[in-house]
Amino acid sequence: MEQKKRIAILGSTGSIGTQALQVIEEHPERYEAYILTANNKIDLLIQQARKFLPDAVVIANESKYCELKEALADLPIKVYAGAKALCEVVESQSIDMVLTAMVGYAGLRPTMAAIRAGKPIALANKETLVVAGELINALANEYKVPILPVDSEHSAIFQCLAGEMNNPIEKIILTASGGPFRTCTKAELAHVTKEQALKHPNWDMGAKITIDSASMMNKGFEVIEAKWLFGVRPDQIEVVIHPQSVIHSMIQFEDSSVKAQLGMPDMRLPIQYAFSYPYRIKSSFDRLDFSQCNTLTFEKPDVERFRNLALAYEALKRGGNMACILNAANEVVNAAFLADRIGFLDMSDIIEKTMSQAQFIAKPTYEDYVATDNEARKIAEELIGNKR
Ligand code: MN3
């Protein structure tokens, strides 16, 4: 057996981060949690650090540094704080892989730092590719760094590609559960609450992505993510609603053959596959029981009720910084919906308006993305203010 893989988990206290630690815990002879980082959840970070004894921990919120340092004073764990430290820790010689499991645009800079340090990326932070997919791909090529998908749909496609050499993809079919509001009319959607939106039928995830799933923006982001991960055109990516979430996604090849990856909805599988790739290792996860899933259904997504999906395709077709604008506006409206400041349907309205008002840049640099993110957030905030 080769040496233990030392993994830096950026965002260890979130849904993906905690499940990644379960995978590591199940395979202590293979994996080691080498770096743990959190944005704010200091109590859980302390608990994880005491259990997994990483080389270093980082808390992004600098005001919590002293509390963290004190809580770990009896252990030989390095303690850092701040956004800059997040980018610096990933450069450590000893790290074999970086799992990017933080939420939103904040994942972009640390992911770039990890690529520049030559670290293979297990990518769970899809916003990184949504915001700056072209830039990230160019950087990953330059530093010869693999990007392994953790998102369950993209892991499914990645698994279907194993053994296919470079056989061209004719079409990617991303499955979507449809979320808690799949059968709601548009009139009903106007009045749904965040409590209803937070109850996802199949997947247990963090609040931001659960709202994105209910609004279908998550699937829109995944279309964009698929383009950058698998090098296909937007018209080669199809979304199909599959409420049972048993098929995690599919590829259609040029000979008409369709390959699918199936399994229980459990994020630990794609996390583990990214860690173990190209190998598969034994897991304790629940097995699919076909006698229990006798109905698999499929339907076309309705972009009239769920306009975010259409907006994401539009952003992808327009290219440049448009998906960065889409993401920034979405982060603002997602937080506003969670704060009861706007209604469910206002989210798409504000995103669409932000896309038409923010400055379009056809060939953005990193600095352009930063400026775009700022500008789009301001525009979206103003639009929310005007609604009230
Ligand atoms: Mn997904």
Side-chain angles (χ1 to χ4, degrees):
M1 154 143 312
E2 54 181 318
Q3 230 194 338
K4 267 193 213 182
K5 202 176 249 184
R6 281 169 293 203
I7 299 171
I9 304 180
L10 306 185
S12 67
T13 57
S15 173
I16 296 289
T18 52
Q19 294 181 81
L21 285 172
Q22 289 172 23
V23 170
I24 291 175
E25 198 178 358
E26 197 172 317
H27 302 281
E29 72 295 348
R30 289 175 189 272
Y31 308 119
E32 183 182 334
Y34 195 75
I35 308 274
L36 299 178
T37 83
N39 196 23
N40 254 315
K41 286 190 205 150
I42 187 166
D43 294 336
L44 183 52
L45 183 61
I46 291 166
Q47 200 185 311
Q48 292 176 339
R50 300 198 72 87
K51 180 168 178 184
F52 289 91
L53 302 172
D55 180 67
V57 294
V58 183
I59 183 91
N61 181 342
E62 291 181 63
S63 71
K64 298 194 170 174
Y65 172 76
C66 291
E67 193 188 333
L68 181 60
K69 178 91 184 153
E70 220 157 277
L72 300 175
D74 59 320
L75 295 170
I77 300 173
K78 295 168 205 141
V79 178
Y80 305 104
K84 201 161 157 251
L86 267 184
C87 294
E88 287 165 359
V89 284
V90 296
E91 291 166 11
S92 161
Q93 275 275 295
S94 310
I95 297 170
D96 298 309
M97 175 171 267
V98 175
L99 171 65
T100 64
M102 61 288 260
V103 178
Y105 172 84
L108 178 59
R109 243 185 80 194
T111 305
M112 288 173 67
I115 295 172
R116 286 205 176 95
K119 308 300 182 189
I121 306 291
L123 186 114
N125 175 255
K126 70 190 85 190
E127 291 91 341
T128 293
L129 285 182
V130 171
V131 169
E134 198 157 13
L135 182 84
I136 291 292
N137 269 0
L139 210 56
N141 277 334
E142 183 183 343
Y143 288 88
K144 300 192 170 39
V145 162
I147 296 182
L148 304 156
V150 170
D151 208 345
S152 63
E153 295 79 359
H154 306 76
S155 175
I157 293 158
F158 190 57
Q159 292 178 57
C160 291
L161 282 172
E164 288 291 344
M165 324 300 275
N166 288 316
N167 285 326
I169 297 171
E170 185 169 271
K171 191 162 82 177
I172 282 175
I173 303 152
L174 288 178
T175 52
S177 71
F181 305 138
R182 180 174 60 89
T183 58
C184 287
T185 63
K186 196 149 190 178
E188 287 168 337
L189 282 180
H191 299 106
V192 297
T193 64
K194 72 171 180 213
E195 286 76 17
Q196 294 169 312
L198 285 170
K199 283 198 194 92
H200 194 277
N202 303 346
W203 296 93
D204 184 13
M205 307 174 288
K208 196 256 176 187
I209 186 173
T210 305
I211 298 300
D212 284 348
S213 295
S215 72
M216 293 290 282
M217 185 53 95
N218 181 56
K219 208 50 58 180
F221 282 175
E222 290 181 353
V223 169
I224 300 173
E225 186 184 11
K227 179 207 152 76
W228 297 117
L229 282 171
F230 305 111
V232 290
R233 298 184 312 271
D235 62 281
Q236 289 175 291
I237 309 168
E238 184 178 308
V239 172
V240 63
I241 306 289
H242 166 47
Q244 298 82 16
S245 296
V246 166
I247 296 179
H248 296 323
S249 277
M250 302 176 255
I251 299 180
Q252 180 177 301
F253 291 96
E254 290 187 318
D255 61 356
S256 82
S257 178
V258 176
K259 274 169 92 171
Q261 187 264 338
L262 286 70
M264 298 291 287
D266 184 335
M267 282 310 295
R268 290 173 303 173
L269 173 60
I271 293 167
Q272 176 174 301
Y273 189 71
F275 287 176
S276 69
Y277 176 81
Y279 304 104
R280 291 186 183 276
I281 56 178
K282 205 168 170 61
S283 85
S284 64
F285 315 149
D286 287 347
R287 269 50 178 167
L288 199 56
D289 177 356
F290 280 92
S291 68
Q292 296 300 309
C293 57
N294 44 21
T295 330
L296 297 182
T297 59
F298 306 92
E299 53 196 77
K300 250 177 121 80
D302 180 354
V303 292
E304 287 295 310
R305 284 180 302 139
F306 296 98
R307 280 168 49 224
N308 284 349
L309 193 55
L311 293 175
Y313 270 103
E314 193 197 321
L316 191 53
K317 280 173 203 150
R318 292 194 58 189
N321 65 341
M322 194 50 82
C324 177
I325 297 169
L326 174 86
N327 177 71
N330 182 61
E331 288 193 25
V332 170
V333 298
N334 182 307
F337 179 69
L338 277 171
D340 295 318
R341 293 175 63 210
I342 54 172
F344 189 80
L345 292 177
D346 294 332
M347 291 197 282
S348 302
D349 281 351
I350 292 166
I351 293 167
E352 185 167 25
K353 285 193 182 120
T354 306
M355 285 169 72
S356 66
Q357 289 178 27
Q359 193 199 342
F360 180 71
I361 303 171
K363 291 244 171 271
T365 62
Y366 173 70
E367 288 70 28
D368 291 329
Y369 285 121
V370 175
T372 296
D373 180 72
N374 259 312
E375 188 202 3
R377 280 170 199 270
K378 272 194 203 117
I379 294 171
E381 274 299 347
E382 269 176 40
L383 289 165
I384 290 170
N386 295 342
K387 285 233 177 236
R388 284 155 69 80

